[in-house]
Protein backbone atom coordinates (compact mmCIF):
# COMPACT_ATOMS: atom_id res chain seq x y z
CA UNK A 1 0.00 0.00 0.00
CA UNK A 2 1.36 3.36 -0.89
CA UNK A 3 1.26 6.37 1.26
CA UNK A 4 -1.61 7.63 -0.77
CA UNK A 5 -3.63 4.47 0.20
CA UNK A 6 -3.56 5.14 4.02
CA UNK A 7 -6.95 6.40 5.20
CA UNK A 8 -6.94 9.86 6.59
CA UNK A 9 -7.05 10.22 10.39
CA UNK A 10 -10.64 11.34 10.20
CA UNK A 11 -11.61 7.97 8.66
CA UNK A 12 -9.72 5.90 11.36
CA UNK A 13 -11.21 7.53 14.42
CA UNK A 14 -14.71 5.92 14.18
CA UNK A 15 -13.13 2.49 13.80
CA UNK A 16 -10.85 2.95 16.80
CA UNK A 17 -13.72 4.23 18.90
CA UNK A 18 -15.85 1.25 17.90
CA UNK A 19 -13.00 -1.12 18.74
CA UNK A 20 -12.43 0.48 22.13
CA UNK A 21 -16.14 0.32 22.90
CA UNK A 22 -16.25 -3.38 21.93
CA UNK A 23 -13.23 -4.18 24.12
CA UNK A 24 -14.75 -2.34 27.08
CA UNK A 25 -18.04 -4.15 26.61
CA UNK A 26 -16.25 -7.52 26.57
CA UNK A 27 -14.34 -6.61 29.73
CA UNK A 28 -17.57 -5.52 31.37
CA UNK A 29 -19.27 -8.78 30.45
CA UNK A 30 -16.35 -10.78 31.87
CA UNK A 31 -16.43 -8.81 35.11
CA UNK A 32 -20.16 -9.32 35.34
CA UNK A 33 -19.79 -13.07 34.80
CA UNK A 34 -17.12 -13.22 37.54
CA UNK A 35 -19.32 -11.27 39.93
CA UNK A 36 -22.27 -13.55 39.19
CA UNK A 37 -20.11 -16.67 39.66
CA UNK A 38 -18.70 -15.41 42.96
CA UNK A 39 -22.18 -14.49 44.09
CA UNK A 40 -23.44 -17.97 43.23
CA UNK A 41 -20.60 -19.61 45.16
CA UNK A 42 -21.23 -17.37 48.14
CA UNK A 43 -24.92 -18.16 47.99
CA UNK A 44 -24.21 -21.91 47.87
CA UNK A 45 -21.85 -21.63 50.85
CA UNK A 46 -24.36 -19.60 52.83
CA UNK A 47 -27.15 -22.03 52.00
CA UNK A 48 -24.90 -24.95 52.94
CA UNK A 49 -23.98 -23.35 56.25
CA UNK A 50 -27.60 -22.59 56.88
CA UNK A 51 -28.64 -26.17 56.19
CA UNK A 52 -25.88 -27.79 58.24
CA UNK A 53 -26.55 -25.48 61.17
CA UNK A 54 -30.27 -25.96 60.86
CA UNK A 55 -32.17 -27.71 63.68
CA UNK A 56 -33.22 -30.19 61.01
CA UNK A 57 -29.65 -31.60 61.07
CA UNK A 58 -29.08 -31.48 64.83
CA UNK A 59 -28.33 -34.64 66.81
CA UNK A 60 -31.69 -35.82 68.11
CA UNK A 61 -30.68 -39.26 69.38
CA UNK A 62 -27.70 -41.57 69.93
CA UNK A 63 -28.68 -45.21 69.47
CA UNK A 64 -26.63 -48.03 71.05
CA UNK A 65 -26.57 -51.71 70.04
CA UNK A 66 -24.52 -54.66 71.30
CA UNK A 67 -24.15 -53.42 74.88
CA UNK A 68 -25.28 -56.26 77.14
CA UNK A 69 -23.18 -55.41 80.21
CA UNK A 70 -22.78 -51.65 79.75
CA UNK A 71 -25.88 -49.47 80.22
CA UNK A 72 -26.74 -47.51 77.05
CA UNK A 73 -26.73 -44.23 78.97
CA UNK A 74 -23.12 -44.92 80.03
CA UNK A 75 -22.17 -45.52 76.38
CA UNK A 76 -23.88 -42.29 75.32
CA UNK A 77 -22.04 -40.34 77.99
CA UNK A 78 -18.73 -41.88 76.89
CA UNK A 79 -19.21 -40.63 73.31
CA UNK A 80 -19.22 -37.02 74.53
CA UNK A 81 -21.91 -36.23 71.96
CA UNK A 82 -24.44 -33.70 73.20
CA UNK A 83 -28.00 -33.54 71.95
CA UNK A 84 -28.93 -30.75 69.52
CA UNK A 85 -25.39 -30.14 68.31
CA UNK A 86 -24.93 -29.99 64.50
CA UNK A 87 -24.45 -33.41 62.95
CA UNK A 88 -21.51 -32.12 60.90
CA UNK A 89 -19.60 -31.07 64.02
CA UNK A 90 -19.67 -34.52 65.67
CA UNK A 91 -16.14 -35.93 66.09
CA UNK A 92 -16.70 -39.62 65.36
CA UNK A 93 -13.14 -40.70 66.18
CA UNK A 94 -13.19 -38.96 69.54
CA UNK A 95 -16.54 -40.59 70.32
CA UNK A 96 -15.11 -43.98 69.37
CA UNK A 97 -12.08 -43.56 71.63
CA UNK A 98 -14.33 -42.57 74.52
CA UNK A 99 -16.45 -45.72 74.16
CA UNK A 100 -13.38 -47.97 73.76
CA UNK A 101 -12.21 -46.86 77.20
CA UNK A 102 -15.23 -48.57 78.81
CA UNK A 103 -14.18 -51.84 80.48
CA UNK A 104 -16.46 -54.24 78.60
CA UNK A 105 -15.97 -52.75 75.12
CA UNK A 106 -13.69 -54.58 72.72
CA UNK A 107 -14.70 -53.07 69.37
CA UNK A 108 -16.94 -50.12 68.50
CA UNK A 109 -18.10 -48.27 65.41
CA UNK A 110 -19.69 -44.82 65.53
CA UNK A 111 -21.51 -43.53 62.46
CA UNK A 112 -23.88 -40.79 61.36
CA UNK A 113 -27.38 -41.74 60.30
CA UNK A 114 -28.78 -38.72 58.50
CA UNK A 115 -30.53 -36.50 59.16
CA UNK A 116 -30.35 -36.55 62.97
CA UNK A 117 -29.04 -39.79 64.51
CA UNK A 118 -25.69 -41.16 65.68
CA UNK A 119 -25.38 -44.94 65.83
CA UNK A 120 -22.97 -46.71 68.18
CA UNK A 121 -22.40 -50.44 67.57
CA UNK A 122 -20.48 -52.32 70.24
CA UNK A 123 -18.82 -55.75 70.46
CA UNK A 124 -18.22 -56.66 74.09
CA UNK A 125 -15.43 -58.73 75.58
CA UNK A 126 -15.92 -62.37 76.62
CA UNK A 127 -15.22 -63.18 80.28
CA UNK A 128 -13.04 -66.24 80.95
CA UNK A 129 -12.58 -66.24 84.72
CA UNK A 130 -12.54 -64.29 87.94
CA UNK A 131 -9.71 -63.13 90.19
CA UNK A 132 -9.60 -62.04 93.81
CA UNK A 133 -9.79 -58.24 93.95
CA UNK A 134 -9.24 -57.36 97.60
CA UNK A 135 -12.07 -55.41 99.26
CA UNK A 136 -14.01 -55.41 95.98
CA UNK A 137 -14.41 -59.19 96.19
CA UNK A 138 -13.74 -60.70 92.77
CA UNK A 139 -12.99 -59.25 89.35
CA UNK A 140 -14.25 -60.73 86.10
CA UNK A 141 -11.55 -60.75 83.42
CA UNK A 142 -11.30 -61.53 79.71
CA UNK A 143 -8.61 -63.49 77.88
CA UNK A 144 -6.24 -60.51 77.83
CA UNK A 145 -6.50 -60.04 81.61
CA UNK A 146 -8.60 -56.88 81.29
CA UNK A 147 -10.80 -56.35 84.33
CA UNK A 148 -14.41 -56.06 83.19
CA UNK A 149 -16.30 -55.66 86.45
CA UNK A 150 -16.18 -56.57 90.13
CA UNK A 151 -18.62 -58.53 92.28
CA UNK A 152 -18.74 -59.66 95.94
CA UNK A 153 -18.51 -63.35 94.94
CA UNK A 154 -17.09 -65.18 91.93
CA UNK A 155 -19.71 -65.57 89.17
CA UNK A 156 -21.18 -69.03 88.74
CA UNK A 157 -19.98 -71.13 85.84
CA UNK A 158 -16.62 -69.43 85.67
CA UNK A 159 -13.27 -70.70 86.96
CA UNK A 160 -11.35 -68.68 89.53
CA UNK A 161 -7.78 -67.76 88.62
CA UNK A 162 -5.81 -68.56 91.75
CA UNK A 163 -2.35 -67.67 93.08
CA UNK A 164 -2.10 -64.51 90.99
CA UNK A 165 -1.80 -60.86 92.07
CA UNK A 166 -5.12 -59.24 93.07
CA UNK A 167 -7.00 -57.50 90.28
CA UNK A 168 -7.37 -53.73 90.08
CA UNK A 169 -10.34 -51.58 89.13
CA UNK A 170 -12.43 -52.23 86.00
CA UNK A 171 -10.51 -51.21 82.89
CA UNK A 172 -7.11 -52.20 84.30
CA UNK A 173 -5.16 -55.32 83.28
CA UNK A 174 -3.80 -58.19 85.38
CA UNK A 175 -0.08 -58.43 86.01
CA UNK A 176 1.96 -60.29 83.32
CA UNK A 177 2.46 -63.18 85.77
CA UNK A 178 -1.17 -64.15 85.15
CA UNK A 179 -0.55 -64.88 81.46
CA UNK A 180 -0.22 -68.67 81.82
CA UNK A 181 -3.37 -69.14 83.90
CA UNK A 182 -5.25 -66.89 81.47
CA UNK A 183 -4.05 -69.05 78.57
CA UNK A 184 -5.34 -72.19 80.26
CA UNK A 185 -8.62 -70.62 81.38
CA UNK A 186 -9.28 -69.38 77.84
CA UNK A 187 -8.59 -72.84 76.41
CA UNK A 188 -10.75 -74.90 78.80
CA UNK A 189 -12.91 -77.38 76.91
CA UNK A 190 -16.67 -77.05 77.56
CA UNK A 191 -16.92 -80.46 79.31
CA UNK A 192 -14.15 -79.42 81.71
CA UNK A 193 -15.63 -76.05 82.72
CA UNK A 194 -18.16 -77.37 85.28
CA UNK A 195 -15.51 -79.68 86.80
CA UNK A 196 -12.91 -76.94 87.39
CA UNK A 197 -13.10 -74.79 90.51
CA UNK A 198 -9.87 -72.88 89.88
CA UNK A 199 -7.02 -72.50 87.43
CA UNK A 200 -4.03 -71.98 89.68
CA UNK A 201 -0.48 -70.83 89.17
CA UNK A 202 2.00 -73.24 90.77
CA UNK A 203 5.82 -73.32 90.86
CA UNK A 204 6.12 -75.60 87.82
CA UNK A 205 3.35 -73.99 85.76
CA UNK A 206 -0.42 -74.36 86.04
CA UNK A 207 -2.83 -76.82 87.63
CA UNK A 208 -6.58 -77.29 87.59
CA UNK A 209 -8.20 -77.54 91.00
CA UNK A 210 -11.31 -79.66 90.58
CA UNK A 211 -14.73 -79.04 92.09
CA UNK A 212 -14.85 -82.55 93.58
CA UNK A 213 -11.33 -82.34 94.98
CA UNK A 214 -8.04 -83.31 93.46
CA UNK A 215 -5.96 -81.56 90.85
CA UNK A 216 -4.91 -81.82 87.24
CA UNK A 217 -1.24 -81.00 86.81
CA UNK A 218 -0.58 -79.28 83.50
CA UNK A 219 2.94 -77.97 84.04
CA UNK A 220 4.10 -75.13 81.74
CA UNK A 221 1.47 -73.48 79.55
CA UNK A 222 2.68 -75.25 76.42
CA UNK A 223 0.75 -77.79 74.33
CA UNK A 224 -2.22 -76.62 76.38
CA UNK A 225 -4.92 -78.00 74.10
CA UNK A 226 -3.34 -81.47 73.98
CA UNK A 227 -3.03 -81.53 77.77
CA UNK A 228 -6.64 -80.44 78.25
CA UNK A 229 -7.88 -83.08 75.79
CA UNK A 230 -5.93 -85.72 77.72
CA UNK A 231 -7.37 -84.45 81.02
CA UNK A 232 -10.93 -84.45 79.66
CA UNK A 233 -10.50 -87.98 78.27
CA UNK A 234 -9.32 -89.36 81.60
CA UNK A 235 -11.78 -87.42 83.77
CA UNK A 236 -14.69 -88.65 81.67
CA UNK A 237 -13.70 -92.25 82.52
CA UNK A 238 -12.97 -92.06 86.27
CA UNK A 239 -14.88 -91.19 89.40
CA UNK A 240 -13.74 -87.65 90.09
CA UNK A 241 -14.62 -87.82 93.80
CA UNK A 242 -11.85 -90.39 94.30
CA UNK A 243 -9.28 -88.50 92.28
CA UNK A 244 -6.15 -87.32 94.02
CA UNK A 245 -4.09 -86.09 91.07
CA UNK A 246 -4.05 -86.41 87.33
CA UNK A 247 -0.71 -85.58 85.75
CA UNK A 248 -0.90 -84.57 82.07
CA UNK A 249 2.36 -82.67 81.92
CA UNK A 250 3.18 -85.16 79.18
CA UNK A 251 -0.09 -85.19 77.28
CA UNK A 252 0.58 -88.52 75.56
CA UNK A 253 1.29 -90.30 78.87
CA UNK A 254 -1.13 -89.13 81.58
CA UNK A 255 -0.74 -90.64 85.05
CA UNK A 256 -3.51 -90.96 87.60
CA UNK A 257 -3.43 -91.11 91.40
CA UNK A 258 -6.63 -92.00 93.22
CA UNK A 259 -7.21 -92.07 96.98
CA UNK A 260 -4.45 -91.97 99.57
CA UNK A 261 -2.02 -89.07 99.78
CA UNK A 262 -1.52 -86.57 96.98
CA UNK A 263 2.03 -85.80 97.96
Amino acid sequence: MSVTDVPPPSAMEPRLRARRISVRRDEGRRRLRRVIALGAVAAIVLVGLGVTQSPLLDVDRVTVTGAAHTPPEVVRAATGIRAHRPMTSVDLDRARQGVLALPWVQHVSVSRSWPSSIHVKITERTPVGSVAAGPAGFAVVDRTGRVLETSPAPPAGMAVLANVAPAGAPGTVLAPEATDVLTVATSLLPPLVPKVAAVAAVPDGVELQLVGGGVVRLGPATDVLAKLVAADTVLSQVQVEHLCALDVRVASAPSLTQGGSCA
Side-chain angles (χ1 to χ4, degrees), residues 225-236:
L225 183 58
K227 293 175 182 179
L228 292 176
V229 169
D232 180 49
T233 301
V234 175
L235 292 177
S236 65

Side-chain angles (χ1 to χ4, degrees), residues 76-114:
R76 293 188 188 100
T79 65
I81 299 172
R82 301 187 305 275
H84 308 306
R85 71 182 300 178
M87 286 280 285
T88 53
S89 70
V90 173
D91 188 333
L92 297 181
D93 187 61
R94 182 176 180 181
R96 179 177 175 275
Q97 294 303 321
V99 176
L100 275 176
L102 297 174
W104 275 94
V105 177
Q106 183 170 22
H107 302 293
V108 60
S109 66
V110 183
S111 59
R112 295 180 180 89
S113 181
W114 299 97

Side-chain angles (χ1 to χ4, degrees), residues 30-169:
R30 285 195 292 270
R31 283 196 296 270
L32 180 59
R33 285 195 292 268
R34 285 196 292 268
V35 170
I36 292 173
L38 291 173
V41 171
I44 292 171
V45 171
L46 290 173
V47 170
L49 288 174
V51 170
T52 57
Q53 300 300 317
S54 166
L56 295 175
L57 293 181
D58 279 356
V59 177
D60 288 339
R61 57 190 172 274
V62 178
T63 62
V64 179
T65 59
H69 296 88
T70 309
E73 60 270 20
V74 173
V75 176
R76 293 188 188 100
T79 65
I81 299 172
R82 301 187 305 275
H84 308 306
R85 71 182 300 178
M87 286 280 285
T88 53
S89 70
V90 173
D91 188 333
L92 297 181
D93 187 61
R94 182 176 180 181
R96 179 177 175 275
Q97 294 303 321
V99 176
L100 275 176
L102 297 174
W104 275 94
V105 177
Q106 183 170 22
H107 302 293
V108 60
S109 66
V110 183
S111 59
R112 295 180 180 89
S113 181
W114 299 97
S116 58
S117 296
I118 300 295
H119 184 56
V120 182
K121 183 178 180 181
I122 286 173
T123 300
E124 290 190 327
R125 296 171 182 269
T126 302
V128 299
S130 61
V131 182
F138 287 83
V140 177
V141 298
D142 76 344
R143 64 186 301 159
T144 68
R146 184 181 177 94
V147 178
L148 307 180
E149 65 181 22
T150 57
S151 61
M158 198 177 297
V160 174
L161 310 185
N163 301 339
V164 298

